[in-house]
Amino acid sequence: MIVSKTRNKSNLCWLRVCVLVFAMIILPLSVTYAQNYKANDIERHFEDWIGSVSKRLKTAVEAHKLSEEDAWGKWHHFKENELAPKLKAAVKAGKIHAKTAREIWRELEKAEDNEKLKSAVAKSEISEEEARAKWSEFNKEDKNRRGAS
């Protein structure tokens, strides 16, 4: 087989253009994906931290090592003095978006409302129907707040 010493410039140019276009499309997507992965990882860290604190407090109440009122006091202290500053710092450092921090906070408040309703039902302070009605009301208020912001 005899190989020609002249290059076929049109094929080589076409290949370079294809590689360049491919790189221009794929590389920005991979950088975006890496940034989202990092943000999701940080969000998961916050959720795990919140879950572990709430689990420890629930376990202490169930074991009668802590009263429910004391547990709520410790919970609010954790929320205001530990969680809120760390969420604000993460937003300020650009580790998570402000919208994500607000969503974490909103979900936390919804979980608090849910726990309070469960507790009230368990103590027979309100009926299950009343709790469901209040839960529906909370969700409507939450949807209205999200629509306004």
Side-chain angles (χ1 to χ4, degrees):
M1 180 167 142
I2 301 173
V3 178
S4 171
K5 291 190 177 194
T6 60
R7 286 187 179 165
N8 188 348
K9 288 187 178 186
S10 66
N11 286 342
L12 190 58
C13 185
W14 177 248
L15 179 64
R16 285 181 184 166
V17 168
C18 286
V19 169
L20 182 62
V21 169
F22 180 76
M24 288 172 52
I25 292 172
I26 296 301
L27 287 177
L29 292 176
S30 63
V31 170
T32 301
Y33 176 76
Q35 289 172 345
N36 285 342
Y37 178 76
K38 199 177 210 182
N40 291 339
D41 205 29
I42 292 169
E43 184 178 348
R44 195 172 308 113
H45 167 73
F46 275 111
E47 290 169 356
D48 290 346
W49 182 38
I50 292 165
S52 72
V53 170
S54 72
K55 192 177 206 176
R56 280 186 280 159
L57 288 173
K58 282 182 187 178
T59 304
V61 169
E62 290 169 359
H64 302 290
K65 293 181 180 177
L66 202 60
S67 72
E68 191 173 330
E69 292 78 24
D70 290 340
W72 278 112
K74 288 182 181 287
W75 174 256
H76 289 294
H77 181 270
F78 160 76
K79 188 174 125 181
E80 297 297 328
N81 298 318
E82 294 180 44
L83 179 62
K86 287 194 178 184
L87 273 174
K88 289 176 185 175
V91 169
K92 190 173 183 178
K95 293 180 179 179
I96 60 173
H97 296 288
K99 181 180 178 184
T100 304
R102 281 192 302 271
E103 288 172 0
I104 291 171
W105 196 262
R106 186 178 301 126
E107 289 301 316
L108 182 66
E109 288 180 337
K110 283 177 70 173
E112 282 180 13
D113 292 339
N114 187 29
E115 286 299 320
K116 288 176 184 175
L117 288 173
K118 283 182 187 177
S119 176
V121 169
K123 294 177 185 175
S124 299
E125 293 173 353
I126 62 172
S127 69
E128 285 188 34
E129 291 78 25
E130 290 172 320
R132 283 190 191 103
K134 285 187 179 190
W135 183 249
S136 295
E137 186 180 314
F138 291 151
N139 283 331
K140 285 179 188 175
E141 289 174 6
D142 187 48
K143 285 179 185 177
N144 291 338
R145 269 189 269 151
R146 272 192 269 160
S149 58

